[in-house]
Amino acid sequence: MRYLIPLGYSLAFVSIILPAISVASEVTLQAVAPTPQRYALMGVSFETPVSFSAPTAMGENGVAVVYPANSVPGEHELMVSLISLPPMSDVLGGLSDQELRSWLRFTEVDGPLSAAPGRIERRMLGRRVRGEVFYHQTPRPLHQELYLMRLQGGRRLAMIFEADDHVPLPMIEQVFSHVAATAQELAPRSREWKRSFEWWKHR
């Protein structure tokens, strides 16, 4: 994976070469989890095609699920995390989307604060969402994708995909593509929406 960022590639490019290797990748995923696993967290729902862990708190305003299911953040191979951003009345709530991205880049993915990151785009919540992609060599080689989404009622939510360097690229793309494609916003104030903010009670 070390060639991804230096050469300006994004995981979106993998869609061009996936047909030649998709069979082996699908066999691997089906052997791990024959049916998708659904989560409802922070006002959105999504599925993972492999068996991820129960939700785990990430800081004060975040939650994450990791693969393998028996691992913990920091020892995972794949991770999907959500960060609820401050309301507009908060100090950080007045930041623009780009300012929030810079803040998230610095505080959540250890990325450069000013240098231009790689670009990526995925379909989420029924629309195309542009994100930023990073590759870190130290202290642990990681691939990360950062997305900032606007939800109903003016809420903003960050979604971060993270993969360990040794995970095969086809598996990374297949898992993250599935998560993104199945991501949906829950109906505000619905029962499931409320439960998604109290995920620790329903694990």
Side-chain angles (χ1 to χ4, degrees):
M1 290 179 59
R2 290 180 173 79
Y3 61 88
L4 287 176
I5 301 308
L7 294 182
Y9 288 103
S10 74
L11 286 182
F13 177 76
V14 177
S15 61
I16 300 174
I17 61 173
L18 270 181
I21 50 181
S22 60
V23 174
S25 179
E26 288 174 4
V27 170
T28 300
L29 293 180
Q30 290 172 2
V32 176
T35 57
Q37 183 173 353
R38 185 175 184 274
Y39 294 92
L41 302 167
M42 298 289 188
V44 301
S45 66
F46 61 89
E47 293 179 354
T48 59
V50 291
S51 185
F52 273 59
S53 69
T56 302
M58 291 286 288
E60 295 183 2
N61 301 308
V63 58
V65 294
V66 298
Y67 171 88
N70 60 354
S71 62
V72 296
E75 300 175 0
H76 59 276
E77 295 181 11
L78 301 170
M79 180 168 72
V80 177
S81 57
L82 298 170
I83 302 171
S84 181
L85 299 174
M88 299 301 290
S89 58
D90 190 277
V91 174
L92 288 175
L95 298 179
S96 67
D97 286 359
Q98 187 54 52
E99 289 171 329
L100 270 178
R101 286 191 189 94
S102 295
W103 177 73
L104 287 165
R105 194 187 307 153
F106 182 71
T107 60
E108 301 297 334
V109 300
D110 297 324
L113 187 59
S114 57
R119 302 295 180 182
I120 192 169
E121 188 176 276
R122 293 189 185 276
R123 188 167 183 81
M124 300 180 181
L125 309 181
R127 59 183 182 271
R128 304 297 298 184
V129 178
R130 293 182 179 179
E132 299 177 342
V133 60
F134 309 89
Y135 179 76
H136 302 290
Q137 294 190 359
T138 57
R140 179 187 178 198
L142 292 173
H143 166 91
Q144 293 175 312
E145 298 176 21
L146 168 64
Y147 301 90
L148 180 62
M149 299 175 290
R150 284 183 174 270
L151 305 180
Q152 297 181 53
R155 290 182 57 238
R156 287 183 287 189
L157 183 74
M159 177 176 275
I160 299 173
F161 297 156
E162 184 173 286
D164 189 272
D165 181 63
H166 77 272
V167 179
L169 188 58
M171 182 175 182
I172 294 175
E173 176 60 21
Q174 189 170 353
V175 171
F176 290 164
S177 291
H178 188 100
V179 172
T182 57
Q184 297 180 338
E185 184 172 1
L186 300 173
R189 307 302 173 185
S190 66
R191 181 179 181 182
E192 188 175 25
W193 184 89
K194 293 176 181 178
R195 286 169 62 93
S196 74
F197 290 95
E198 299 179 338
W199 51 265
W200 64 89
K201 296 181 181 180
H202 312 291
R203 288 189 295 177

